[in-house]
Amino acid sequence: MVGIGGAAESTDMVLNIGPQHPSTHGVLRLRLVLDGERITSAEPVIGYMHRGAEKLFEARDYRQIIMLANRHDWLSAFSNELGVVLAVERMLGMEVPERAVWLRTLLAELNRVLNHLMFLGSYPLELGGITPMFYAFREREALQNVMEEVSGGRMHYMFNRVGGLKEDLPAGWTARARGAVSAVRSRMDVYDDLVLGNEIFRGRTRGVGVLSAEAVHAYGVSGPIARASGVDFDLRRDEPYLAYGDLGDTLRVVTRTEGDCLARFECLLEQTHNALALADACLDRLAGLPPGPVNQRLPKVLKAPEGHTYAWTENPLGINGYYLVSKGEKTPYRLKLRSASYNNIQALAELLPGTLVADMVAILGSLFFVVGDIDK
């Protein structure tokens, strides 16, 4: 309710932002209660894109669910596929060929860079700077080309398989991938100088939207957002999977203590630099491996033994987990998805109260979420 006349000065106003509003990344709705220009409470309202993927998992076999799994975070499709095949392989007790392990690690890091470049370009755009977006898409195109060449897809790669990968690399692909990584790295100073060196960008983000480490733990926030608040946790280092246990000299977990919008952007940027270094390390290791298979031969009808398991990975946006329950059939009995964006976006209820409406877009954009990853 909004009062009339003088009474309006002390009456709260309820403001709905979204769904289908440019400041909410599409189909997210924020229900804000305002006292003048200051937000007193905030409620993220989700579900407008919900597709029931977890129930659809139960009606498809272990080969078909990969298609559903890679679509909830469309910027991290390869990493999404990876989580579900790791869960099924764990249920089967299956060992994956060494070449497939290193190739998966390489492609996961290239996918991480693609994800981060989108946010490195779009976040300044939300604060009024259009130029970084053009640079971000230039770098993304270089990496998209090599990802498309190896998998056949530009967004939904469908390259993971239970037991390895769909097929081996095209001839000369590693040299082209190394060239793309080198080209992107040589131009990353655009974000270091053009964005971080911009006093308007720093003024809009420093000290704004501070998320405490206690709130990170309370809401289950993960990924670069959690590490920007001083929570030093990364599954690639702390519970290594794929080839990350052999990349300890290259892998660097980037943290900050400020917990504000600027710290979150800095974490994302430095993590992109490190992902490029990890990709180079994987290419070096692949060059020294002998030729060999990249997948396992599977039966025509693949059934996981009865039981349950949980597989989690460090996706670009944070922790992605699959809890798989099998009754010994060719379809999962239950496959529960724990997505990073779903937990991270709940922190808005903690972040927004007490801030100004003018800072709302800066805070919202700094959470680096994909709506499909929320409404899974």
Side-chain angles (χ1 to χ4, degrees):
M1 298 294 293
V2 179
I4 299 173
E9 297 176 3
S10 59
T11 302
D12 290 341
M13 180 176 73
V14 177
L15 178 65
N16 281 288
I17 299 182
Q20 303 295 356
H21 190 286
S23 71
T24 61
H25 294 257
V27 282
L28 174 71
R29 173 185 164 208
L30 290 178
R31 183 181 182 276
L32 307 178
V33 179
L34 308 179
D35 180 8
E37 286 292 310
R38 197 164 295 277
I39 300 169
T40 58
S41 72
E43 177 191 3
V45 183
I46 65 175
Y48 293 96
M49 264 187 65
H50 181 61
R51 293 148 291 157
E54 292 175 341
K55 295 304 290 181
L56 292 173
F57 284 144
E58 300 170 14
R60 284 157 175 79
D61 66 34
Y62 288 107
R63 292 180 175 89
Q64 295 169 330
I65 60 175
I66 299 171
M67 179 275 296
L68 291 170
N70 75 7
R71 279 162 165 75
H72 57 87
D73 174 4
W74 45 77
L75 295 178
S76 310
F78 185 87
S79 301
N80 300 339
E81 299 172 12
L82 186 60
V84 73
V85 297
L86 288 176
V88 179
E89 288 163 3
R90 185 173 296 176
M91 288 286 286
L92 293 168
M94 181 181 290
E95 290 288 332
V96 177
E98 186 179 14
R99 273 176 58 78
V101 171
W102 282 96
L103 274 172
R104 281 177 170 180
T105 310
L106 166 63
L107 296 171
E109 290 305 312
L110 293 179
N111 193 202
R112 191 181 308 277
V113 177
L114 282 169
N115 176 292
H116 291 354
L117 282 171
M118 177 63 79
F119 291 109
L120 291 175
S122 66
Y123 186 49
L125 178 65
E126 291 162 6
L127 300 179
I130 190 172
T131 309
M133 195 63 169
F134 298 119
Y135 288 111
F137 268 83
R138 180 187 64 182
E139 319 314 342
R140 276 177 55 85
E141 197 64 27
L143 295 176
Q144 284 282 57
N145 287 339
V146 295
M147 291 292 283
E148 183 179 10
E149 182 186 358
V150 75
S151 68
R154 287 185 64 81
M155 284 190 68
H156 304 301
Y157 304 108
M158 285 298 295
F159 198 55
N160 277 290
R161 295 292 187 271
V162 176
L165 295 169
K166 175 186 172 187
E167 57 197 5
D168 209 342
L169 303 175
W173 182 86
T174 52
R176 290 187 289 276
R178 193 182 292 277
V181 170
S182 177
V184 172
R185 182 190 290 106
S186 69
R187 298 193 288 252
M188 286 298 292
D189 60 337
V190 167
Y191 309 98
D192 296 319
D193 301 334
L194 183 65
V195 181
L196 284 181
N198 187 292
E199 62 184 43
I200 298 175
F201 179 83
R202 300 183 75 87
R204 290 291 308 275
T205 55
R206 184 191 283 121
V208 175
V210 176
L211 183 65
S212 67
E214 292 75 20
V216 165
H217 292 301
Y219 285 92
V221 174
S222 59
I225 302 169
R227 292 190 281 275
S229 296
V231 179
D232 188 5
F233 180 71
D234 190 314
L235 285 173
R236 296 174 297 169
R237 179 199 63 194
D238 301 325
E239 287 195 21
Y241 58 98
L242 295 182
Y244 289 113
D246 298 323
L247 291 169
D249 294 337
T250 308
L251 175 63
R252 190 165 62 88
V253 179
V254 182
T255 60
R256 291 288 188 276
T257 56
E258 295 85 356
D260 57 8
C261 295
L262 181 59
R264 291 191 277 274
F265 186 85
E266 288 176 342
C267 277
L268 200 76
L269 179 55
E270 287 195 35
Q271 194 166 285
T272 308
H273 282 287
N274 188 238
L276 291 167
L278 288 168
D280 262 343
C282 290
L283 286 165
D284 291 340
R285 181 59 183 267
L286 281 167
L289 289 179
V294 294
N295 49 38
Q296 298 275 23
R297 291 184 65 87
L298 298 177
K300 186 174 182 179
V301 177
L302 180 64
K303 295 183 178 181
E306 189 169 346
H308 60 92
T309 190
Y310 182 70
W312 57 348
T313 56
E314 187 70 40
N315 269 31
L317 298 181
I319 293 174
N320 187 76
Y322 291 98
Y323 178 60
L324 171 62
V325 182
S326 172
K327 295 290 187 181
E329 301 297 329
K330 66 178 182 179
T331 62
Y333 176 75
R334 183 79 173 91
L335 189 57
K336 176 72 175 73
L337 167 60
R338 188 265 191 223
S339 62
S341 298
Y342 180 83
N343 284 70
N344 292 357
I345 205 67
Q346 308 307 316
L348 284 170
E350 180 91 12
L351 275 174
L352 289 177
T355 63
L356 296 173
V357 176
D359 291 328
M360 185 270 298
V361 177
I363 297 169
L364 184 69
S366 73
L367 291 188
F368 311 127
F369 62 91
V370 171
V371 178
D373 205 36
I374 303 168
D375 300 336
K376 47 191 182 289

